[in-house]
Amino acid sequence: MKQNDWKERLGVVFSTNPDYVYEAAADEQPDTLPPARQRLRIRIERAGRRGKTVTLVTGFVGSSDDLKELGRQLKAHLGTGGTSKDGVIVIQGDVKEKVVAWLRQSGYGDVK
């Protein structure tokens, strides 16, 4: 069965060579730093969210899977909703103090 990989080749000029192999750019993710070396920043934001307050955790260095796992643990501890994407963990509500306390308890050193 032929693999439909045309989406991976968008923007590639057509080749008439049947043996040509398209090279897809690999998404390199940085290695996840240990919690003690992470420099996380926590802030409250309301702009662009229809007046709803959210707590943002930024500055995470690591893979997207590790970011999602940290977000999942944080949301479970706080009992709130949220999301983890594009290097940012978004937690619903104004829970900055609780987030800072949980991250420090979990071994994250530089949390502001």
Side-chain angles (χ1 to χ4, degrees), residues 72-111:
R72 186 192 65 75
Q73 292 174 356
L74 191 55
K75 291 184 298 184
H77 173 75
L78 297 171
T80 63
T83 185
S84 305
K85 61 182 177 182
D86 299 331
V88 178
I89 300 172
V90 180
I91 305 291
Q92 294 175 352
D94 184 358
V95 289
K96 182 176 179 178
E97 292 80 22
K98 292 179 183 179
V99 170
V100 169
W102 186 83
L103 288 171
R104 286 189 177 147
Q105 177 189 358
S106 298
Y108 288 86
D110 190 12
V111 178

PDB file of all heavy atoms in Angstrom, residues 72-111:
ATOM      1  N   ARG A  72       0.024  17.839  33.264  1.00  0.00           N
ATOM      2  CA  ARG A  72      -0.964  16.888  33.773  1.00  0.00           C
ATOM      3  C   ARG A  72      -0.855  16.742  35.288  1.00  0.00           C
ATOM      4  O   ARG A  72      -1.858  16.775  36.002  1.00  0.00           O
ATOM      5  CB  ARG A  72      -0.780  15.526  33.105  1.00  0.00           C
ATOM      6  CG  ARG A  72      -1.856  14.513  33.477  1.00  0.00           C
ATOM      7  CD  ARG A  72      -1.488  13.118  33.050  1.00  0.00           C
ATOM      8  NE  ARG A  72      -0.329  12.604  33.740  1.00  0.00           N
ATOM      9  CZ  ARG A  72      -0.323  12.181  35.010  1.00  0.00           C
ATOM     10  NH1 ARG A  72      -1.427  12.227  35.717  1.00  0.00           N
ATOM     11  NH2 ARG A  72       0.776  11.711  35.555  1.00  0.00           N
ATOM     12  N   GLN A  73       0.366  16.613  35.791  1.00  0.00           N
ATOM     13  CA  GLN A  73       0.570  16.491  37.239  1.00  0.00           C
ATOM     14  C   GLN A  73       0.118  17.750  37.963  1.00  0.00           C
ATOM     15  O   GLN A  73      -0.518  17.673  39.014  1.00  0.00           O
ATOM     16  CB  GLN A  73       2.040  16.215  37.548  1.00  0.00           C
ATOM     17  CG  GLN A  73       2.517  14.867  37.094  1.00  0.00           C
ATOM     18  CD  GLN A  73       4.016  14.705  37.282  1.00  0.00           C
ATOM     19  OE1 GLN A  73       4.717  15.624  37.686  1.00  0.00           O
ATOM     20  NE2 GLN A  73       4.513  13.522  36.956  1.00  0.00           N
ATOM     21  N   LEU A  74       0.435  18.891  37.412  1.00  0.00           N
ATOM     22  CA  LEU A  74       0.066  20.164  38.032  1.00  0.00           C
ATOM     23  C   LEU A  74      -1.449  20.340  38.061  1.00  0.00           C
ATOM     24  O   LEU A  74      -2.019  20.716  39.090  1.00  0.00           O
ATOM     25  CB  LEU A  74       0.733  21.310  37.272  1.00  0.00           C
ATOM     26  CG  LEU A  74       0.713  22.694  37.864  1.00  0.00           C
ATOM     27  CD1 LEU A  74       1.292  22.686  39.269  1.00  0.00           C
ATOM     28  CD2 LEU A  74       1.502  23.644  36.998  1.00  0.00           C
ATOM     29  N   LYS A  75      -2.116  20.037  36.974  1.00  0.00           N
ATOM     30  CA  LYS A  75      -3.576  20.150  36.919  1.00  0.00           C
ATOM     31  C   LYS A  75      -4.249  19.165  37.872  1.00  0.00           C
ATOM     32  O   LYS A  75      -5.232  19.499  38.523  1.00  0.00           O
ATOM     33  CB  LYS A  75      -4.082  19.925  35.490  1.00  0.00           C
ATOM     34  CG  LYS A  75      -3.696  21.038  34.536  1.00  0.00           C
ATOM     35  CD  LYS A  75      -4.288  20.830  33.171  1.00  0.00           C
ATOM     36  CE  LYS A  75      -3.786  19.559  32.537  1.00  0.00           C
ATOM     37  NZ  LYS A  75      -4.267  19.356  31.163  1.00  0.00           N
ATOM     38  N   ALA A  76      -3.690  17.963  37.978  1.00  0.00           N
ATOM     39  CA  ALA A  76      -4.267  16.964  38.884  1.00  0.00           C
ATOM     40  C   ALA A  76      -4.109  17.400  40.336  1.00  0.00           C
ATOM     41  O   ALA A  76      -5.026  17.237  41.144  1.00  0.00           O
ATOM     42  CB  ALA A  76      -3.601  15.614  38.670  1.00  0.00           C
ATOM     43  N   HIS A  77      -2.962  17.964  40.669  1.00  0.00           N
ATOM     44  CA  HIS A  77      -2.735  18.430  42.039  1.00  0.00           C
ATOM     45  C   HIS A  77      -3.674  19.574  42.404  1.00  0.00           C
ATOM     46  O   HIS A  77      -4.219  19.619  43.503  1.00  0.00           O
ATOM     47  CB  HIS A  77      -1.284  18.871  42.223  1.00  0.00           C
ATOM     48  CG  HIS A  77      -1.018  19.505  43.549  1.00  0.00           C
ATOM     49  ND1 HIS A  77      -0.935  18.771  44.706  1.00  0.00           N
ATOM     50  CD2 HIS A  77      -0.863  20.797  43.905  1.00  0.00           C
ATOM     51  CE1 HIS A  77      -0.729  19.592  45.725  1.00  0.00           C
ATOM     52  NE2 HIS A  77      -0.671  20.830  45.256  1.00  0.00           N
ATOM     53  N   LEU A  78      -3.870  20.489  41.469  1.00  0.00           N
ATOM     54  CA  LEU A  78      -4.696  21.666  41.738  1.00  0.00           C
ATOM     55  C   LEU A  78      -6.187  21.403  41.550  1.00  0.00           C
ATOM     56  O   LEU A  78      -7.013  22.167  42.051  1.00  0.00           O
ATOM     57  CB  LEU A  78      -4.277  22.823  40.824  1.00  0.00           C
ATOM     58  CG  LEU A  78      -2.862  23.332  41.016  1.00  0.00           C
ATOM     59  CD1 LEU A  78      -2.505  24.309  39.916  1.00  0.00           C
ATOM     60  CD2 LEU A  78      -2.697  23.961  42.377  1.00  0.00           C
ATOM     61  N   GLY A  79      -6.521  20.360  40.810  1.00  0.00           N
ATOM     62  CA  GLY A  79      -7.928  20.074  40.546  1.00  0.00           C
ATOM     63  C   GLY A  79      -8.555  21.070  39.595  1.00  0.00           C
ATOM     64  O   GLY A  79      -9.743  21.380  39.709  1.00  0.00           O
ATOM     65  N   THR A  80      -7.777  21.564  38.665  1.00  0.00           N
ATOM     66  CA  THR A  80      -8.280  22.535  37.690  1.00  0.00           C
ATOM     67  C   THR A  80      -8.034  22.023  36.281  1.00  0.00           C
ATOM     68  O   THR A  80      -7.344  21.029  36.072  1.00  0.00           O
ATOM     69  CB  THR A  80      -7.583  23.899  37.836  1.00  0.00           C
ATOM     70  OG1 THR A  80      -6.188  23.728  37.560  1.00  0.00           O
ATOM     71  CG2 THR A  80      -7.764  24.474  39.211  1.00  0.00           C
ATOM     72  N   GLY A  81      -8.562  22.730  35.315  1.00  0.00           N
ATOM     73  CA  GLY A  81      -8.338  22.402  33.919  1.00  0.00           C
ATOM     74  C   GLY A  81      -7.203  23.226  33.362  1.00  0.00           C
ATOM     75  O   GLY A  81      -6.637  24.090  34.038  1.00  0.00           O
ATOM     76  N   GLY A  82      -6.864  22.941  32.137  1.00  0.00           N
ATOM     77  CA  GLY A  82      -5.810  23.701  31.484  1.00  0.00           C
ATOM     78  C   GLY A  82      -5.273  22.941  30.298  1.00  0.00           C
ATOM     79  O   GLY A  82      -5.835  21.931  29.875  1.00  0.00           O
ATOM     80  N   THR A  83      -4.156  23.419  29.766  1.00  0.00           N
ATOM     81  CA  THR A  83      -3.541  22.792  28.604  1.00  0.00           C
ATOM     82  C   THR A  83      -2.034  22.993  28.656  1.00  0.00           C
ATOM     83  O   THR A  83      -1.535  23.859  29.384  1.00  0.00           O
ATOM     84  CB  THR A  83      -4.113  23.374  27.300  1.00  0.00           C
ATOM     85  OG1 THR A  83      -3.578  22.656  26.196  1.00  0.00           O
ATOM     86  CG2 THR A  83      -3.793  24.843  27.148  1.00  0.00           C
ATOM     87  N   SER A  84      -1.330  22.189  27.867  1.00  0.00           N
ATOM     88  CA  SER A  84       0.127  22.287  27.759  1.00  0.00           C
ATOM     89  C   SER A  84       0.491  22.214  26.291  1.00  0.00           C
ATOM     90  O   SER A  84       0.319  21.171  25.662  1.00  0.00           O
ATOM     91  CB  SER A  84       0.796  21.129  28.495  1.00  0.00           C
ATOM     92  OG  SER A  84       0.386  21.069  29.820  1.00  0.00           O
ATOM     93  N   LYS A  85       0.979  23.337  25.746  1.00  0.00           N
ATOM     94  CA  LYS A  85       1.392  23.343  24.349  1.00  0.00           C
ATOM     95  C   LYS A  85       2.313  24.521  24.085  1.00  0.00           C
ATOM     96  O   LYS A  85       2.302  25.503  24.808  1.00  0.00           O
ATOM     97  CB  LYS A  85       0.194  23.385  23.409  1.00  0.00           C
ATOM     98  CG  LYS A  85      -0.682  24.598  23.562  1.00  0.00           C
ATOM     99  CD  LYS A  85      -1.858  24.535  22.632  1.00  0.00           C
ATOM    100  CE  LYS A  85      -2.757  25.734  22.881  1.00  0.00           C
ATOM    101  NZ  LYS A  85      -3.938  25.697  22.040  1.00  0.00           N
ATOM    102  N   ASP A  86       3.115  24.382  23.065  1.00  0.00           N
ATOM    103  CA  ASP A  86       4.037  25.424  22.621  1.00  0.00           C
ATOM    104  C   ASP A  86       4.937  25.920  23.747  1.00  0.00           C
ATOM    105  O   ASP A  86       5.240  27.104  23.841  1.00  0.00           O
ATOM    106  CB  ASP A  86       3.272  26.608  22.022  1.00  0.00           C
ATOM    107  CG  ASP A  86       2.455  26.203  20.802  1.00  0.00           C
ATOM    108  OD1 ASP A  86       2.868  25.258  20.106  1.00  0.00           O
ATOM    109  OD2 ASP A  86       1.415  26.839  20.554  1.00  0.00           O
ATOM    110  N   GLY A  87       5.358  25.043  24.632  1.00  0.00           N
ATOM    111  CA  GLY A  87       6.274  25.412  25.704  1.00  0.00           C
ATOM    112  C   GLY A  87       5.636  26.158  26.857  1.00  0.00           C
ATOM    113  O   GLY A  87       6.343  26.689  27.705  1.00  0.00           O
ATOM    114  N   VAL A  88       4.300  26.203  26.912  1.00  0.00           N
ATOM    115  CA  VAL A  88       3.586  26.932  27.955  1.00  0.00           C
ATOM    116  C   VAL A  88       2.535  26.018  28.575  1.00  0.00           C
ATOM    117  O   VAL A  88       1.832  25.312  27.874  1.00  0.00           O
ATOM    118  CB  VAL A  88       2.903  28.197  27.387  1.00  0.00           C
ATOM    119  CG1 VAL A  88       2.121  28.930  28.453  1.00  0.00           C
ATOM    120  CG2 VAL A  88       3.919  29.113  26.744  1.00  0.00           C
ATOM    121  N   ILE A  89       2.449  26.055  29.903  1.00  0.00           N
ATOM    122  CA  ILE A  89       1.378  25.361  30.609  1.00  0.00           C
ATOM    123  C   ILE A  89       0.377  26.421  31.028  1.00  0.00           C
ATOM    124  O   ILE A  89       0.734  27.394  31.682  1.00  0.00           O
ATOM    125  CB  ILE A  89       1.905  24.611  31.842  1.00  0.00           C
ATOM    126  CG1 ILE A  89       2.942  23.570  31.430  1.00  0.00           C
ATOM    127  CG2 ILE A  89       0.755  23.962  32.601  1.00  0.00           C
ATOM    128  CD1 ILE A  89       3.648  22.915  32.593  1.00  0.00           C
ATOM    129  N   VAL A  90      -0.885  26.244  30.625  1.00  0.00           N
ATOM    130  CA  VAL A  90      -1.952  27.182  30.952  1.00  0.00           C
ATOM    131  C   VAL A  90      -2.874  26.496  31.951  1.00  0.00           C
ATOM    132  O   VAL A  90      -3.426  25.441  31.663  1.00  0.00           O
ATOM    133  CB  VAL A  90      -2.745  27.591  29.687  1.00  0.00           C
ATOM    134  CG1 VAL A  90      -3.851  28.559  30.052  1.00  0.00           C
ATOM    135  CG2 VAL A  90      -1.823  28.184  28.645  1.00  0.00           C
ATOM    136  N   ILE A  91      -3.014  27.094  33.138  1.00  0.00           N
ATOM    137  CA  ILE A  91      -3.868  26.563  34.198  1.00  0.00           C
ATOM    138  C   ILE A  91      -5.029  27.533  34.385  1.00  0.00           C
ATOM    139  O   ILE A  91      -4.823  28.746  34.502  1.00  0.00           O
ATOM    140  CB  ILE A  91      -3.100  26.418  35.529  1.00  0.00           C
ATOM    141  CG1 ILE A  91      -1.845  25.558  35.344  1.00  0.00           C
ATOM    142  CG2 ILE A  91      -3.994  25.865  36.620  1.00  0.00           C
ATOM    143  CD1 ILE A  91      -2.118  24.120  35.065  1.00  0.00           C
ATOM    144  N   GLN A  92      -6.239  27.017  34.455  1.00  0.00           N
ATOM    145  CA  GLN A  92      -7.406  27.871  34.629  1.00  0.00           C
ATOM    146  C   GLN A  92      -7.448  28.434  36.046  1.00  0.00           C
ATOM    147  O   GLN A  92      -7.240  27.703  37.010  1.00  0.00           O
ATOM    148  CB  GLN A  92      -8.685  27.084  34.357  1.00  0.00           C
ATOM    149  CG  GLN A  92      -8.813  26.649  32.927  1.00  0.00           C
ATOM    150  CD  GLN A  92     -10.024  25.758  32.703  1.00  0.00           C
ATOM    151  OE1 GLN A  92     -10.675  25.344  33.644  1.00  0.00           O
ATOM    152  NE2 GLN A  92     -10.304  25.475  31.451  1.00  0.00           N
ATOM    153  N   GLY A  93      -7.689  29.729  36.134  1.00  0.00           N
ATOM    154  CA  GLY A  93      -7.846  30.380  37.431  1.00  0.00           C
ATOM    155  C   GLY A  93      -6.587  31.079  37.902  1.00  0.00           C
ATOM    156  O   GLY A  93      -5.510  30.927  37.338  1.00  0.00           O
ATOM    157  N   ASP A  94      -6.746  31.854  38.974  1.00  0.00           N
ATOM    158  CA  ASP A  94      -5.641  32.585  39.593  1.00  0.00           C
ATOM    159  C   ASP A  94      -5.084  31.732  40.730  1.00  0.00           C
ATOM    160  O   ASP A  94      -5.475  31.857  41.880  1.00  0.00           O
ATOM    161  CB  ASP A  94      -6.141  33.931  40.115  1.00  0.00           C
ATOM    162  CG  ASP A  94      -5.028  34.785  40.695  1.00  0.00           C
ATOM    163  OD1 ASP A  94      -3.874  34.317  40.726  1.00  0.00           O
ATOM    164  OD2 ASP A  94      -5.319  35.915  41.122  1.00  0.00           O
ATOM    165  N   VAL A  95      -4.154  30.834  40.388  1.00  0.00           N
ATOM    166  CA  VAL A  95      -3.596  29.892  41.369  1.00  0.00           C
ATOM    167  C   VAL A  95      -2.070  29.992  41.411  1.00  0.00           C
ATOM    168  O   VAL A  95      -1.378  29.003  41.618  1.00  0.00           O
ATOM    169  CB  VAL A  95      -4.043  28.443  41.046  1.00  0.00           C
ATOM    170  CG1 VAL A  95      -5.512  28.248  41.329  1.00  0.00           C
ATOM    171  CG2 VAL A  95      -3.725  28.083  39.610  1.00  0.00           C
ATOM    172  N   LYS A  96      -1.557  31.195  41.242  1.00  0.00           N
ATOM    173  CA  LYS A  96      -0.119  31.397  41.159  1.00  0.00           C
ATOM    174  C   LYS A  96       0.618  30.899  42.393  1.00  0.00           C
ATOM    175  O   LYS A  96       1.625  30.192  42.280  1.00  0.00           O
ATOM    176  CB  LYS A  96       0.184  32.888  40.943  1.00  0.00           C
ATOM    177  CG  LYS A  96       1.661  33.187  40.800  1.00  0.00           C
ATOM    178  CD  LYS A  96       1.901  34.640  40.491  1.00  0.00           C
ATOM    179  CE  LYS A  96       3.400  34.901  40.381  1.00  0.00           C
ATOM    180  NZ  LYS A  96       3.673  36.282  40.025  1.00  0.00           N
ATOM    181  N   GLU A  97       0.120  31.229  43.586  1.00  0.00           N
ATOM    182  CA  GLU A  97       0.808  30.831  44.818  1.00  0.00           C
ATOM    183  C   GLU A  97       0.844  29.313  44.964  1.00  0.00           C
ATOM    184  O   GLU A  97       1.846  28.736  45.367  1.00  0.00           O
ATOM    185  CB  GLU A  97       0.138  31.465  46.039  1.00  0.00           C
ATOM    186  CG  GLU A  97       0.287  32.975  46.122  1.00  0.00           C
ATOM    187  CD  GLU A  97      -0.694  33.705  45.212  1.00  0.00           C
ATOM    188  OE1 GLU A  97      -1.731  33.111  44.849  1.00  0.00           O
ATOM    189  OE2 GLU A  97      -0.406  34.857  44.852  1.00  0.00           O
ATOM    190  N   LYS A  98      -0.258  28.643  44.619  1.00  0.00           N
ATOM    191  CA  LYS A  98      -0.314  27.188  44.710  1.00  0.00           C
ATOM    192  C   LYS A  98       0.635  26.535  43.705  1.00  0.00           C
ATOM    193  O   LYS A  98       1.268  25.530  44.012  1.00  0.00           O
ATOM    194  CB  LYS A  98      -1.736  26.690  44.484  1.00  0.00           C
ATOM    195  CG  LYS A  98      -2.689  27.065  45.592  1.00  0.00           C
ATOM    196  CD  LYS A  98      -4.077  26.556  45.290  1.00  0.00           C
ATOM    197  CE  LYS A  98      -5.064  26.981  46.359  1.00  0.00           C
ATOM    198  NZ  LYS A  98      -6.433  26.500  46.052  1.00  0.00           N
ATOM    199  N   VAL A  99       0.716  27.108  42.500  1.00  0.00           N
ATOM    200  CA  VAL A  99       1.611  26.580  41.475  1.00  0.00           C
ATOM    201  C   VAL A  99       3.059  26.706  41.925  1.00  0.00           C
ATOM    202  O   VAL A  99       3.841  25.757  41.826  1.00  0.00           O
ATOM    203  CB  VAL A  99       1.381  27.295  40.122  1.00  0.00           C
ATOM    204  CG1 VAL A  99       2.465  26.938  39.127  1.00  0.00           C
ATOM    205  CG2 VAL A  99       0.021  26.958  39.563  1.00  0.00           C
ATOM    206  N   VAL A 100       3.428  27.875  42.430  1.00  0.00           N
ATOM    207  CA  VAL A 100       4.801  28.096  42.894  1.00  0.00           C
ATOM    208  C   VAL A 100       5.132  27.128  44.031  1.00  0.00           C
ATOM    209  O   VAL A 100       6.206  26.500  44.040  1.00  0.00           O
ATOM    210  CB  VAL A 100       5.001  29.563  43.351  1.00  0.00           C
ATOM    211  CG1 VAL A 100       6.321  29.735  44.063  1.00  0.00           C
ATOM    212  CG2 VAL A 100       4.909  30.503  42.163  1.00  0.00           C
ATOM    213  N   ALA A 101       4.223  26.963  44.983  1.00  0.00           N
ATOM    214  CA  ALA A 101       4.462  26.070  46.112  1.00  0.00           C
ATOM    215  C   ALA A 101       4.624  24.625  45.641  1.00  0.00           C
ATOM    216  O   ALA A 101       5.538  23.916  46.089  1.00  0.00           O
ATOM    217  CB  ALA A 101       3.312  26.173  47.115  1.00  0.00           C
ATOM    218  N   TRP A 102       3.774  24.163  44.724  1.00  0.00           N
ATOM    219  CA  TRP A 102       3.861  22.785  44.255  1.00  0.00           C
ATOM    220  C   TRP A 102       5.143  22.546  43.464  1.00  0.00           C
ATOM    221  O   TRP A 102       5.788  21.503  43.611  1.00  0.00           O
ATOM    222  CB  TRP A 102       2.651  22.430  43.399  1.00  0.00           C
ATOM    223  CG  TRP A 102       2.641  20.981  43.027  1.00  0.00           C
ATOM    224  CD1 TRP A 102       2.185  19.946  43.773  1.00  0.00           C
ATOM    225  CD2 TRP A 102       3.149  20.418  41.810  1.00  0.00           C
ATOM    226  NE1 TRP A 102       2.366  18.770  43.090  1.00  0.00           N
ATOM    227  CE2 TRP A 102       2.958  19.030  41.879  1.00  0.00           C
ATOM    228  CE3 TRP A 102       3.732  20.940  40.673  1.00  0.00           C
ATOM    229  CZ2 TRP A 102       3.331  18.166  40.865  1.00  0.00           C
ATOM    230  CZ3 TRP A 102       4.109  20.080  39.651  1.00  0.00           C
ATOM    231  CH2 TRP A 102       3.909  18.712  39.753  1.00  0.00           C
ATOM    232  N   LEU A 103       5.528  23.507  42.619  1.00  0.00           N
ATOM    233  CA  LEU A 103       6.753  23.342  41.835  1.00  0.00           C
ATOM    234  C   LEU A 103       7.987  23.308  42.728  1.00  0.00           C
ATOM    235  O   LEU A 103       8.894  22.493  42.510  1.00  0.00           O
ATOM    236  CB  LEU A 103       6.872  24.466  40.794  1.00  0.00           C
ATOM    237  CG  LEU A 103       5.903  24.378  39.611  1.00  0.00           C
ATOM    238  CD1 LEU A 103       5.963  25.643  38.777  1.00  0.00           C
ATOM    239  CD2 LEU A 103       6.194  23.155  38.764  1.00  0.00           C
ATOM    240  N   ARG A 104       8.026  24.150  43.743  1.00  0.00           N
ATOM    241  CA  ARG A 104       9.173  24.123  44.670  1.00  0.00           C
ATOM    242  C   ARG A 104       9.199  22.822  45.452  1.00  0.00           C
ATOM    243  O   ARG A 104      10.269  22.259  45.690  1.00  0.00           O
ATOM    244  CB  ARG A 104       9.113  25.329  45.598  1.00  0.00           C
ATOM    245  CG  ARG A 104       9.499  26.593  44.879  1.00  0.00           C
ATOM    246  CD  ARG A 104       9.672  27.767  45.810  1.00  0.00           C
ATOM    247  NE  ARG A 104      10.107  28.918  45.035  1.00  0.00           N
ATOM    248  CZ  ARG A 104       9.780  30.159  45.325  1.00  0.00           C
ATOM    249  NH1 ARG A 104       9.006  30.412  46.367  1.00  0.00           N
ATOM    250  NH2 ARG A 104      10.209  31.145  44.584  1.00  0.00           N
ATOM    251  N   GLN A 105       8.036  22.325  45.859  1.00  0.00           N
ATOM    252  CA  GLN A 105       7.968  21.065  46.578  1.00  0.00           C
ATOM    253  C   GLN A 105       8.413  19.899  45.682  1.00  0.00           C
ATOM    254  O   GLN A 105       8.989  18.932  46.159  1.00  0.00           O
ATOM    255  CB  GLN A 105       6.542  20.822  47.065  1.00  0.00           C
ATOM    256  CG  GLN A 105       6.332  19.493  47.768  1.00  0.00           C
ATOM    257  CD  GLN A 105       4.877  19.227  48.032  1.00  0.00           C
ATOM    258  OE1 GLN A 105       4.011  20.055  47.733  1.00  0.00           O
ATOM    259  NE2 GLN A 105       4.584  18.080  48.605  1.00  0.00           N
ATOM    260  N   SER A 106       8.164  20.022  44.392  1.00  0.00           N
ATOM    261  CA  SER A 106       8.519  18.981  43.440  1.00  0.00           C
ATOM    262  C   SER A 106       9.971  19.052  42.998  1.00  0.00           C
ATOM    263  O   SER A 106      10.393  18.251  42.156  1.00  0.00           O
ATOM    264  CB  SER A 106       7.620  19.065  42.210  1.00  0.00           C
ATOM    265  OG  SER A 106       6.283  18.859  42.592  1.00  0.00           O
ATOM    266  N   GLY A 107      10.735  19.999  43.500  1.00  0.00           N
ATOM    267  CA  GLY A 107      12.157  20.053  43.199  1.00  0.00           C
ATOM    268  C   GLY A 107      12.561  21.047  42.149  1.00  0.00           C
ATOM    269  O   GLY A 107      13.730  21.077  41.745  1.00  0.00           O
ATOM    270  N   TYR A 108      11.646  21.854  41.652  1.00  0.00           N
ATOM    271  CA  TYR A 108      11.997  22.864  40.660  1.00  0.00           C
ATOM    272  C   TYR A 108      12.599  24.047  41.399  1.00  0.00           C
ATOM    273  O   TYR A 108      11.939  24.693  42.208  1.00  0.00           O
ATOM    274  CB  TYR A 108      10.767  23.281  39.848  1.00  0.00           C
ATOM    275  CG  TYR A 108      10.340  22.189  38.893  1.00  0.00           C
ATOM    276  CD1 TYR A 108       9.497  21.173  39.297  1.00  0.00           C
ATOM    277  CD2 TYR A 108      10.839  22.154  37.592  1.00  0.00           C
ATOM    278  CE1 TYR A 108       9.129  20.159  38.425  1.00  0.00           C
ATOM    279  CE2 TYR A 108      10.484  21.144  36.714  1.00  0.00           C
ATOM    280  CZ  TYR A 108       9.624  20.151  37.148  1.00  0.00           C
ATOM    281  OH  TYR A 108       9.282  19.149  36.284  1.00  0.00           O
ATOM    282  N   GLY A 109      13.868  24.329  41.122  1.00  0.00           N
ATOM    283  CA  GLY A 109      14.614  25.299  41.904  1.00  0.00           C
ATOM    284  C   GLY A 109      14.258  26.749  41.664  1.00  0.00           C
ATOM    285  O   GLY A 109      13.792  27.439  42.543  1.00  0.00           O
ATOM    286  N   ASP A 110      14.479  27.230  40.453  1.00  0.00           N
ATOM    287  CA  ASP A 110      14.319  28.652  40.153  1.00  0.00           C
ATOM    288  C   ASP A 110      12.911  28.916  39.636  1.00  0.00           C
ATOM    289  O   ASP A 110      12.659  28.871  38.439  1.00  0.00           O
ATOM    290  CB  ASP A 110      15.371  29.086  39.131  1.00  0.00           C
ATOM    291  CG  ASP A 110      15.428  30.587  38.954  1.00  0.00           C
ATOM    292  OD1 ASP A 110      14.831  31.301  39.778  1.00  0.00           O
ATOM    293  OD2 ASP A 110      16.067  31.036  37.998  1.00  0.00           O
ATOM    294  N   VAL A 111      11.992  29.173  40.553  1.00  0.00           N
ATOM    295  CA  VAL A 111      10.600  29.432  40.193  1.00  0.00           C
ATOM    296  C   VAL A 111      10.256  30.839  40.640  1.00  0.00           C
ATOM    297  O   VAL A 111      10.407  31.182  41.805  1.00  0.00           O
ATOM    298  CB  VAL A 111       9.642  28.412  40.867  1.00  0.00           C
ATOM    299  CG1 VAL A 111       8.211  28.729  40.508  1.00  0.00           C
ATOM    300  CG2 VAL A 111      10.021  27.010  40.477  1.00  0.00           C
TER     301      VAL A 111
END
